[in-house]
């Protein structure tokens, strides 16, 4: 495989005000809304969640849940793909950085979610970590096409809110040779600093804005109210299923850095969800030890990684459970992941 990092180093990044940049990559809120729209489209088809969208826009009914999931991932990845092409330039091969799936340690003992809830509640009683609006997350999604090789770009995003309700967002490309290496670091003054090697994709400051609707409003630290909050955040007509709860968790953590009490409430919701099974310990892409819980869907698998001491959600990873030869996808391939950093 070519040295993807060297390809990025030879790239000529396009400034944010360059005419070629167009409208730029999807912002955090736009990406969340796109997720909502795609989820609603899947629910409205004759096969429920079993309908997807092809690359040409045609409907592909009857292909199972995986088609909708990967279609959504591919749609969200369009902005990332376009940015990767801009970074690479016309004469450079685009960076490809498909990570390997996280592996459960064979010698580890699975910890039931109920036990993790107890630890989270004890941590909340100590009043250690507090709720903070904003996020620091490393993420990756595969870009798929029926006639072209996948173009992928792992990114790291820091969103920080100020006292006047304005906020900043910095997004950089991470090092494809070392998935999980920290590219951004928060300095003592709260301003994100570039470390290691990373190309700035976007750096934006947004004027003051405020909303009392989830997920922009502060999440409650009571499990019952948090369930209603996540339902509203995802525009659901019924309490969230396990799949929807995992999707809502990602939206929540892409907006807020949870405190100990919110972590405990979320852990309780996850413990009450059906289909999440404990599988043991994993080392995540940032080198952190976590407890892994797996949810098997129709054609896909989601792995939830949680801090074994505090019950905080560290990451989510989706892998294919069946082959999708028209997209070059094989069972076990990682389709997307997020790793949240406090």
């Amino acid at each position: 495989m070519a040295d993807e990092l060297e390809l990025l180093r030879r790239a000529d990044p396009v400034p944010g005000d360059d005419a070629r940049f167009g409208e730029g990559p999807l912002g955090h809120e736009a990406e969340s809304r796109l997720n909502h729209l795609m989820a609603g489209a899947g629910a409205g088809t004759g096969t429920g969640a079993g309908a997807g969208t092809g690359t040409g826009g045609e409907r592909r009914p009857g292909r199972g849940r995986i088609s909708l999931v990967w279609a959504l991932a591919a749609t969200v990845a369009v902005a990332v793909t376009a940015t990767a092409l801009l970074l690479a330039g016309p004469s450079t091969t685009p960076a490809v950085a498909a990570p390997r799936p996280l592996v459960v340690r064979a010698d580890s003992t699975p910890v039931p979610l109920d036990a993790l809830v107890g630890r989270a509640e004890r941590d909340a009683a100590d009043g250690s970590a507090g709720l903070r609006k904003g996020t620091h997350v490393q993420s990756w999604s595969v870009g798929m096409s029926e006639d072209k090789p996948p173009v992928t770009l792992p990114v790291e995003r820091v969103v920080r809110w100020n006292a006047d309700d304005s906020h900043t967002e910095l997004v950089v490309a991470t090092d494809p040779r070392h998935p999980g290496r920290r590219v951004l670091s928060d300095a003592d003054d709260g301003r994100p600093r570039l470390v290691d090697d990373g190309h700035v994709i976007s750096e934006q400051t947004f004027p003051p804005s405020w909303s009392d609707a989830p997920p922009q409003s502060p999440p409650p630290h009571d499990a019952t109210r948090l369930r209603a909050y996540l339902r509203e955040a995802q525009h659901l007509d019924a309490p969230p299923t396990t799949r929807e709860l995992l999707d809502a968790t990602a939206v929540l953590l892409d907006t807020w850095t949870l405190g100990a009490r919110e972590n405990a409430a979320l852990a309780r919701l996850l413990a009450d969800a059906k289909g999440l099974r404990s599988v043991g310990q994993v080392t995540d892409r940032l080198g952190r030890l976590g407890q892994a819980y797996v949810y098997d869907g129709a054609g896909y698998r989601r792995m939830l990684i949680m801090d074994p001491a505090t019950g905080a959600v560290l990451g989510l990873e989706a892998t294919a459970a069946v082959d999708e030869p028209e997209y070059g996808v094989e069972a076990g391939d990682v389709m997307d992941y997020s790793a949240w950093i406090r």
Side-chain angles (χ1 to χ4, degrees), residues 252-266:
L252 176 64
L253 296 178
D254 279 345
T255 310
W256 293 88
T257 299
L258 301 186
R261 295 189 299 175
E262 291 78 21
N263 283 333
L266 181 58

Side-chain angles (χ1 to χ4, degrees), residues 107-172:
D107 60 345
S108 63
T109 301
V111 175
L113 264 169
D114 281 333
L116 212 61
V117 171
R119 299 176 187 179
E121 290 174 344
R122 287 192 293 272
D123 186 62
D126 294 339
S128 51
L131 178 69
R132 184 176 74 245
K133 193 169 188 180
T135 190
H136 186 173
V137 57
Q138 184 178 105
S139 60
W140 178 89
S141 292
V142 68
M144 295 178 297
S145 171
E146 292 181 335
D147 57 354
K148 296 178 182 178
V151 179
T152 62
L153 187 69
V155 298
E156 191 164 345
R157 176 187 293 111
V158 172
V159 179
R160 290 289 176 257
W161 286 75
N162 304 313
D164 64 352
D165 288 323
S166 64
H167 67 280
T168 60
E169 180 182 77
L170 177 61
V171 183
V172 302

Side-chain angles (χ1 to χ4, degrees), residues 20-107:
R20 293 170 291 168
F21 203 85
E23 293 184 354
L26 288 177
H28 161 72
E29 294 184 10
E31 183 172 321
S32 296
R33 290 176 182 173
L34 177 60
N35 286 344
H36 299 160
L37 289 173
M38 292 297 294
T45 63
T47 54
T53 303
T55 54
E58 72 277 11
R59 301 299 302 174
R60 294 177 176 269
R63 294 174 48 78
R65 170 64 192 161
I66 188 173
S67 295
L68 178 59
V69 173
W70 300 160
L72 189 152
T75 304
V76 172
V78 167
V80 175
T81 298
T83 304
L85 293 170
L86 288 172
L87 287 172
S91 61
T92 306
T93 303
V96 178
R100 295 177 179 175
L102 298 177
V103 178
V104 178
R105 292 176 51 175
D107 60 345

Side-chain angles (χ1 to χ4, degrees), residues 2-335:
D3 187 336
E4 296 93 353
L5 180 60
E6 186 58 33
L7 295 177
L8 285 174
R9 283 175 173 153
R10 294 201 305 267
D12 181 19
V14 178
D17 57 357
D18 191 288
R20 293 170 291 168
F21 203 85
E23 293 184 354
L26 288 177
H28 161 72
E29 294 184 10
E31 183 172 321
S32 296
R33 290 176 182 173
L34 177 60
N35 286 344
H36 299 160
L37 289 173
M38 292 297 294
T45 63
T47 54
T53 303
T55 54
E58 72 277 11
R59 301 299 302 174
R60 294 177 176 269
R63 294 174 48 78
R65 170 64 192 161
I66 188 173
S67 295
L68 178 59
V69 173
W70 300 160
L72 189 152
T75 304
V76 172
V78 167
V80 175
T81 298
T83 304
L85 293 170
L86 288 172
L87 287 172
S91 61
T92 306
T93 303
V96 178
R100 295 177 179 175
L102 298 177
V103 178
V104 178
R105 292 176 51 175
D107 60 345
S108 63
T109 301
V111 175
L113 264 169
D114 281 333
L116 212 61
V117 171
R119 299 176 187 179
E121 290 174 344
R122 287 192 293 272
D123 186 62
D126 294 339
S128 51
L131 178 69
R132 184 176 74 245
K133 193 169 188 180
T135 190
H136 186 173
V137 57
Q138 184 178 105
S139 60
W140 178 89
S141 292
V142 68
M144 295 178 297
S145 171
E146 292 181 335
D147 57 354
K148 296 178 182 178
V151 179
T152 62
L153 187 69
V155 298
E156 191 164 345
R157 176 187 293 111
V158 172
V159 179
R160 290 289 176 257
W161 286 75
N162 304 313
D164 64 352
D165 288 323
S166 64
H167 67 280
T168 60
E169 180 182 77
L170 177 61
V171 183
V172 302
T174 60
D175 181 346
R177 294 186 310 173
H178 304 282
R181 173 186 286 180
R182 293 283 294 277
V183 176
L184 297 180
S185 178
D186 290 338
D188 293 337
D189 60 1
R191 295 175 59 84
R193 308 292 190 194
L194 285 173
V195 297
D196 293 327
D197 195 333
H199 290 279
V200 174
I201 295 175
S202 66
E203 186 172 9
Q204 303 177 77
T205 299
F206 298 88
S209 62
W210 182 85
S211 172
D212 60 357
Q216 296 301 320
S217 59
H221 48 78
D222 169 83
T224 300
R225 291 189 295 133
L226 182 59
R227 179 182 287 105
Y229 175 98
L230 295 177
R231 176 178 172 178
E232 184 177 352
Q234 291 291 80
H235 307 288
L236 301 173
D237 295 327
T241 63
T242 301
R243 175 186 63 81
E244 292 166 338
L245 178 59
L246 293 175
D247 291 341
T249 294
V251 171
L252 176 64
L253 296 178
D254 279 345
T255 310
W256 293 88
T257 299
L258 301 186
R261 295 189 299 175
E262 291 78 21
N263 283 333
L266 181 58
R268 169 47 62 195
L269 284 185
L270 293 166
D272 292 341
K274 297 180 180 179
L276 271 173
R277 53 187 176 88
S278 178
V279 294
Q281 290 182 335
V282 296
T283 300
D284 79 354
R285 303 184 190 283
L286 300 177
R288 302 172 299 187
L289 188 65
Q291 283 290 331
Y293 303 88
V294 167
Y295 176 74
D296 293 306
Y300 68 99
R301 186 185 80 161
R302 301 284 292 277
M303 178 182 284
L304 172 74
I305 303 101
M306 302 180 72
D307 188 303
T310 67
V313 173
L314 300 178
L316 273 171
E317 175 176 284
T319 55
V322 298
D323 295 341
E324 287 276 341
E326 61 268 48
Y327 292 112
V329 173
E330 297 181 355
D333 285 352
V334 176
M335 303 310 293

